[in-house]
Amino acid sequence: MIYKKYIKRLLDLSLSGVGIIITSPFLGIVAVIIKATSQGPVLFKQQRYGRHQKPFVCYKFRSMYTTAPKDMPTWKLENPEEHITPVGKFLRKTSMDELPQLFNIFKGEMSLIGPRPVVLKEKKLIEAREKVGANDVRPGLTGWAQINGRDLVGTEEKAELDGRYVKRMSFFVDCKVFFRTILYVLRKEGIQEGEIKTLKKRDEILDTKMEKIK
């Protein structure tokens, strides 16, 4: 209880602050490259649901052209490659587009570890999370669902994983998620750009994923 109420936020504040300072030169370089290679703002700002379903502005490096559909998860796009910039493709594959969320964490809108913040249109996931208490904590830069399938799990499965994290939340669980996230990023696992067309194809991907977990 002490960890959930006090220590977790203290760690978020200190680690995000240090992270911002350390990565600031790199963030500046990425910002210049984005601005120089495509038209539009450096940051992509999007309304997402936070703790207790309170909307907040989530920051990301812009990885798509300004003509891309708004407020739609990338995995739902039919032809995502048409909308993603060359620089954005690299940023998304390495998850570097999420780095500006360190500022969301520092401001107290997010946590380092927790359920990922949800786009306002994803009503089914919000409702499913409400049933398992996953909307009662700050959304995270990474979470339990991100190291157990990420984009390749369905709405109910994702909510179940998020609810499982909330019940087990502790310093040791957060450390486990943090270090496993690093492995996931290095292996580029669980990333799905564009809609999975058929249930059969989705099941094939999930079966492959489960074999890797085993």
Side-chain angles (χ1 to χ4, degrees), residues 20-34:
I20 290 170
I21 294 172
I22 292 176
T23 62
S24 57
F26 173 76
L27 297 178
I29 292 172
V30 173
V32 170
I33 293 174
I34 292 173

Side-chain angles (χ1 to χ4, degrees), residues 30-45 60-67 70 85 91:
V30 173
V32 170
I33 293 174
I34 292 173
K35 196 67 178 176
T37 54
S38 63
Q39 293 184 343
V42 170
L43 292 179
F44 173 67
K45 301 177 182 179
K60 297 180 70 173
F61 277 128
R62 181 176 58 83
S63 60
M64 306 181 82
Y65 295 107
T66 55
T67 55
K70 307 297 182 184
T85 67
L91 293 175

Side-chain angles (χ1 to χ4, degrees), residues 13 18-19 27 30 32 39 107 112 124 156 167 175 188:
L13 185 63
V18 171
L27 297 178
V30 173
V32 170
Q39 293 184 343
K107 291 165 61 179
L112 283 170
K124 290 184 178 180
E156 294 296 329
K167 291 179 181 178
C175 286
K188 301 181 178 63

Side-chain angles (χ1 to χ4, degrees), residues 95-111:
S95 295
M96 290 181 184
D97 60 320
E98 311 283 0
L99 284 178
Q101 287 165 35
L102 288 172
F103 291 94
N104 288 120
I105 296 170
F106 191 79
K107 291 165 61 179
E109 297 164 334
M110 290 178 60
S111 175

